[in-house]
Amino acid sequence: MSRNPIALVDVNNFYVSCERVFDPSLEGRPVVVLSNNDGCVVARSQEAKDLGIETGTPWFKVKPSAAAWNLVARSSNYELYGDMSARVMEVVGRFGTWQEVYSIDESFLGLTGTEGQLREIGEEIRAAVARQVGVPVCVGIASTKTLAKFTNRIAKQNAAMGGVCSLDSMPVGQVETIQERVPVTGLWGVGARTGDRLKAQGIVSIADLKRADPLAIRKKFSVVLQRTVLELNGTACIPHTEERVDKQQIMFSRSFSTPVTTLEEMGQVFSIYAQRGAARLTAGGQCATMLTVSAGTSRFAGGDASFPAVTLRLPAPTSDPIVLTRLAVSALRGMIVPGTSYVRAGVMLGGLEPARGQEQFDTFVDDRESLDLGGLLGSVRAKFGDTAIGLGAGGLAEPPGWSMKRELSSPRYTTEWEDLPVVSAR
């Protein structure tokens, strides 16, 4: 193991695990979580996987068999999953010298210690998350991020390891055997298309890629895949988040449960989406310099689908929800055709840069910027829920008719007062 071992902590079947924390009756039963508007399966419990249900399967195809299979479906409860993710990451972060939250259910962690100590830390992480949040995690420990992801996979697929695997604790021959058996597409960052190209070069397994010449891989593929080869051989070369270039855009886009046909309704859509985008800017300490609004019709409705969009350059970098909402709503006037059935829309904030104090004599910065309205709205929503406050349509207590359909949603147990679990002692 290098002097800077890396752990990849990943929640098992994250969406389903979050649902089971507050509904123990789901334990041991096949459970699926559905996409926006309850369209397709996006998450599955192990029991659902064992039934042969694939990710992306339309719910209408599975629903007729649900009763016979004792299958439970849940709509995506983004409020619950986001809050549970934050809790998991906070607990996990206590154990590392640094932390990079890679996704809603995964986090890289810098560790220190001997081989025996690293195993103990992994077990402590699992126990702490289970005790304080209630969801199961697996921990993979190795010298690079790519190897940590690979090791986490080993931990998940081998119950005897107890959810923790440190690569250096495994016999070299055993690791090599696994790498010979696992296809290269089972590796982090290698998709099906790249896998086909690699196969044409005689590179089928992870072991094959590990033995490949990094310079030849860079020439024929990319520097990204070259880094993968180097990481498989123990050279850490994928930087941490803080070393990367900041993300350059924030996108808030959704499909509608029922088509939107009027300027008034689309104004509500853009108003709400712009405010959500502004909240993300404020949370990330960023400002936007570009705003793009878009909408789309269905390709199944007959005729050609249309995807009109308008991009505006902002007069000054901003995260002000009033400015962004006003511009987003004004942009729809020349873009939306009343009477047309739109099934999706989005607001994208681009050209992001770090937020900074208002500069002296800058006549293009609105005085409201200094009031931090975005931060104020965000703090109120965080404490009292998404519908507690907003601008215009963003403050509607009841969701509009076009809102995303979530007929099978569980309560927002941790973010809404009325949904808090009630325990009765007898």
Side-chain angles (χ1 to χ4, degrees):
M1 184 73 68
S2 72
R3 290 178 296 175
N4 302 298
I6 298 172
L8 189 279
V9 184
D10 182 17
V11 183
N12 301 343
N13 305 317
F14 178 63
Y15 286 4
V16 172
S17 294
C18 290
E19 297 287 350
R20 284 174 167 170
V21 169
F22 297 95
D23 188 353
S25 70
L26 301 179
E27 291 289 346
R29 297 180 63 180
V31 181
V32 295
V33 176
L34 306 177
S35 64
N36 293 350
N37 296 313
D38 295 341
C40 301
V41 173
V42 294
R44 307 160 294 161
S45 68
Q46 185 59 52
E47 295 83 0
K49 295 175 185 177
D50 293 341
L51 288 172
I53 300 174
E54 299 288 342
T55 298
T57 303
W59 170 235
F60 75 84
K61 291 187 176 181
V62 180
K63 187 176 180 180
S65 303
W69 291 343
N70 198 27
L71 174 70
V72 177
R74 289 283 187 265
S75 302
S76 295
N77 190 338
Y78 298 114
E79 296 85 354
L80 175 65
Y81 307 151
D83 185 67
M84 294 292 281
S85 172
R87 296 175 186 226
V88 170
M89 300 312 167
E90 193 280 327
V91 173
V92 170
R94 301 173 191 173
F95 293 87
T97 57
W98 55 265
Q99 180 183 24
E100 176 187 337
V101 178
Y102 179 68
S103 68
I104 193 171
D105 61 347
E106 294 176 286
S107 179
F108 288 108
L109 204 64
L111 301 180
T112 59
T114 64
E115 182 54 44
Q117 291 171 333
L118 293 176
R119 170 80 193 189
E120 291 178 0
I121 292 172
E123 293 172 348
E124 289 174 5
I125 291 173
R126 272 179 53 86
V129 174
R131 181 176 64 253
Q132 299 180 41
V133 185
V135 295
V137 301
C138 281
V139 183
I141 304 171
S143 58
T144 70
K145 286 184 176 180
T146 300
L147 287 173
K149 288 275 286 187
F150 169 71
T151 307
N152 184 278
R153 173 177 176 150
I154 296 175
K156 280 189 172 183
Q157 297 183 352
N158 293 270
M161 291 186 170
V164 179
C165 179
S166 179
L167 196 63
D168 277 11
S169 67
M170 298 177 63
V172 175
Q174 184 180 8
V175 174
E176 292 176 346
T177 298
I178 295 173
Q179 291 178 340
E180 291 282 1
R181 292 176 177 175
V182 178
V184 71
T185 50
L187 199 60
W188 180 38
V190 180
R193 186 173 300 178
T194 300
D196 290 341
R197 291 180 60 199
L198 286 168
K199 186 176 182 179
Q201 300 291 324
I203 299 174
V204 179
S205 68
I206 292 178
D208 293 334
L209 185 60
K210 182 178 179 180
R211 290 189 291 264
D213 179 2
L215 293 178
I217 290 294
R218 177 171 182 167
K219 183 177 180 180
K220 295 179 179 179
F221 293 88
S222 67
V223 66
V224 174
L225 196 59
Q226 179 195 33
R227 289 174 181 168
T228 299
V229 176
L230 294 172
E231 291 236 335
L232 283 174
N233 287 279
T235 301
C237 51
I238 298 178
H240 307 325
T241 296
E242 60 269 22
E243 298 169 2
R244 298 178 185 171
V245 178
D246 290 337
K247 292 181 179 179
Q248 287 300 299
Q249 65 183 31
I250 287 175
M251 182 73 175
F252 198 94
S253 177
R254 293 288 187 273
S255 298
F256 307 137
S257 59
T258 58
V260 169
T261 60
T262 68
L263 289 174
E264 180 182 5
E265 286 183 312
M266 193 61 80
Q268 292 179 349
V269 174
F270 285 168
S271 174
I272 293 173
Y273 289 7
Q275 291 177 61
R276 300 286 174 85
R280 293 183 184 179
L281 285 174
T282 301
Q286 295 177 303
C287 288
T289 60
M290 303 286 291
L291 180 145
T292 298
V293 293
S294 61
T297 59
S298 175
R299 65 180 185 274
F300 303 110
D304 295 330
S306 63
F307 303 92
V310 173
T311 297
L312 304 173
R313 179 172 291 279
L314 304 179
T318 185
S319 61
D320 186 343
I322 295 178
V323 173
L324 296 174
T325 298
R326 181 182 297 160
L327 290 172
V329 173
S330 66
L332 70 87
R333 299 297 173 183
M335 184 183 78
I336 299 302
V337 179
T340 301
S341 294
Y342 295 96
V343 297
R344 64 182 64 84
V347 172
M348 185 179 74
L349 303 171
L352 306 189
E353 58 183 53
R356 45 183 175 267
Q358 181 175 332
E359 297 182 8
Q360 191 174 12
F361 305 126
D362 189 346
T363 59
F364 296 101
V365 177
D366 196 297
D367 289 340
R368 288 190 303 271
E369 293 282 1
S370 62
L371 300 178
D372 188 23
L373 295 178
L376 173 62
L377 296 178
S379 63
V380 173
R381 291 193 192 102
K383 187 172 183 179
F384 299 106
D386 285 339
T387 60
I389 192 171
L391 305 173
L396 294 175
E398 294 296 327
W402 48 263
S403 295
M404 183 172 58
K405 181 173 67 175
R406 293 194 289 181
E407 295 179 347
L408 303 173
S409 182
S410 55
R412 293 164 292 181
Y413 296 105
T414 64
T415 58
E416 292 293 331
W417 287 108
E418 62 268 24
D419 288 347
L420 288 179
V422 176
V423 178
S424 300
R426 296 182 180 180

